Amino acid sequence: MAKASGLRGPVPSSKREMRARLRALMSSLSAEYLVAQSGAASARVLATAEWQRAMGVACFCSMEKEFQTSALIAAALAEGKAVYLPKVVEPRELVFRRAVSADAIASFPKSRWGIPEPPDGQEDLTAIDLVIVPGVAFDTRAARLGHGKGFYDTFFHRLRDHHHRRKNMASPENDDDDDDTHRNRKTTTMPP
């Protein structure tokens, strides 16, 4: 096995091994370090053209030893962006519901992982322009190693299918000026 930058020892041969090693590394990080790195990552996201263009941001509420998204969520709400947070529904599906304020988020019930989840409601995939995703690791091409449950993989398939169907429906014969803002949106995924 080859050496990896940032990891001591050989590169793990499986995703399971990689997750275990990275989770151990993450659990050793101090709260101060996590806050500082989350702040730096948030500043990079806020400076992107994708953030500036986005009208609807799907984000996640952070677990304890994970990139802290509270600054991004607060910024999105302050900028008047629509904020969508995930809710796990069975079987193994992730849906995004609108969160209208920080107070509303604070009142959301906690999931089995201790994460606030929005109540039931209508999902509007058309309104999501930018998705901020959690992950155990990302590479330089933004490939993601998730937590291993497949929730986001399934969601991205649904989101791509939805936007693909909308794009196919948008033809000169079906032109509707009220829908131009949705038709021209680009869904962008970037790691923090």
Side-chain angles (χ1 to χ4, degrees), residues 45-173:
V45 170
L46 294 171
T48 65
E50 290 84 3
W51 178 270
Q52 299 302 318
R53 283 192 306 264
M55 295 167 29
V57 177
C59 197
F60 63 97
C61 292
S62 309
M63 291 190 285
E64 183 181 353
K65 290 291 187 167
E66 191 170 51
F67 165 66
Q68 300 299 296
T69 59
S70 55
L72 287 177
I73 293 169
L77 290 168
E79 293 174 23
K81 297 179 186 298
V83 174
Y84 298 90
L85 298 175
K87 177 181 179 82
V88 175
V89 295
E90 298 305 327
R92 292 187 159 316
E93 187 176 355
L94 194 64
V95 295
F96 280 81
R97 307 282 193 237
R98 181 132 187 218
V100 296
S101 70
D103 289 339
I105 296 168
S107 73
F108 289 167
K110 303 277 196 260
S111 71
R112 62 181 173 216
W113 297 284
I115 304 167
E117 284 189 330
D120 291 334
Q122 188 70 21
E123 181 178 59
D124 183 6
L125 294 175
T126 304
I128 297 174
D129 302 306
L130 178 69
V131 180
I132 308 295
V133 298
V136 176
F138 296 89
D139 69 15
T140 57
R141 295 173 308 219
R144 172 183 172 269
L145 176 66
H147 291 281
K149 304 292 185 201
F151 292 123
Y152 279 87
D153 296 331
T154 302
F155 169 72
F156 283 128
H157 286 295
R158 280 192 317 111
L159 187 63
R160 274 191 295 270
D161 288 348
H162 175 80
H163 282 283
H164 180 72
R165 280 192 309 274
R166 287 191 56 77
K167 182 178 176 185
N168 286 341
M169 288 176 20
S171 68
E173 302 85 48

